[in-house]
């Protein structure tokens, strides 16, 4: 959200966002199923897809973008490695998920993942 809203005029295209750190927020605000969380975990392709779809539906937007991952400094409770992230992009045609993995400090990983998400969204917009 910060990356979008830092651009003047972004309110013409950016409706808003949800920072869903907790599993409860992922479920309540974005519609991620308990089954997905139990079976695949919060850092997964499946969770990213449900999050992106939830954003698109709840904001009544043309596109939904999600990121779920582990920026560190330690592996998460599911054993997913530091630097692993999934980027989901929901469109009218469905949802695609991209897996990325970076090394570095927490802030470096977060910056690189958000940049990858913006590039992926740009690619989707350009068709």
């Amino acid at each position: 959200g910060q990356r979008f809203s830092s651009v003047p005029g972004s309110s013409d295209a950016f409706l808003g966002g949800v920072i869903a750190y907790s599993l409860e927020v992922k479920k309540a605000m974005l519609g991620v199923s308990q089954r997905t969380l139990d079976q695949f975990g919060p850092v997964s392709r499946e969770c990213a897809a449900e999050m992106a779809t939830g954003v698109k539906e709840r904001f009544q937007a043309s596109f939904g973008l999600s990121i779920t991952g582990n920026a560190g400094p330690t592996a998460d409770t599911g054993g997913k490695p530091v630097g692993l992230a999934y980027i989901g992009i929901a469109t009218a045609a469905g949802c695609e998920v991209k897996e990325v993995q970076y090394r570095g400090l927490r802030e470096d990983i977060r910056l690189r993942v958000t940049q990858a998400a913006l590039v992926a969204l740009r690619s989707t917009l350009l068709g």
Side-chain angles (χ1 to χ4, degrees):
Q2 185 274 333
R3 300 283 308 265
F4 282 117
S5 61
S6 66
V7 177
S10 62
S11 61
D12 292 341
F14 179 64
L15 300 175
V18 175
I19 298 173
Y21 256 46
S22 79
L23 301 183
E24 291 307 315
V25 173
K26 284 177 172 52
K27 292 187 300 186
M29 300 295 294
L30 299 176
V32 175
S33 73
Q34 184 65 52
R35 180 181 164 276
T36 293
L37 295 170
D38 291 343
Q39 188 170 354
F40 303 104
V43 179
S44 66
R45 217 172 257 291
E46 294 78 8
C47 186
E50 289 185 20
M51 289 171 65
T53 300
V55 166
K56 182 182 178 304
E57 291 172 354
R58 283 156 176 77
F59 284 86
Q60 298 178 357
S62 300
F63 300 92
L65 177 64
S66 71
I67 298 171
T68 186
N70 180 11
T74 59
D76 72 359
T77 55
K80 302 293 173 81
V82 172
L84 176 64
Y86 294 92
I87 300 164
I89 300 177
T91 69
C95 187
E96 291 193 25
V97 178
K98 177 180 180 173
E99 178 182 316
V100 296
Q101 183 153 12
Y102 299 109
R103 293 184 207 199
L105 300 174
R106 181 178 177 82
E107 274 311 304
D108 297 331
I109 292 168
R110 289 170 49 102
L111 181 62
R112 292 175 76 188
V113 172
T114 57
Q115 188 62 38
L118 292 172
V119 168
L121 180 59
R122 180 181 186 272
S123 183
T124 298
L125 292 170
L126 294 175

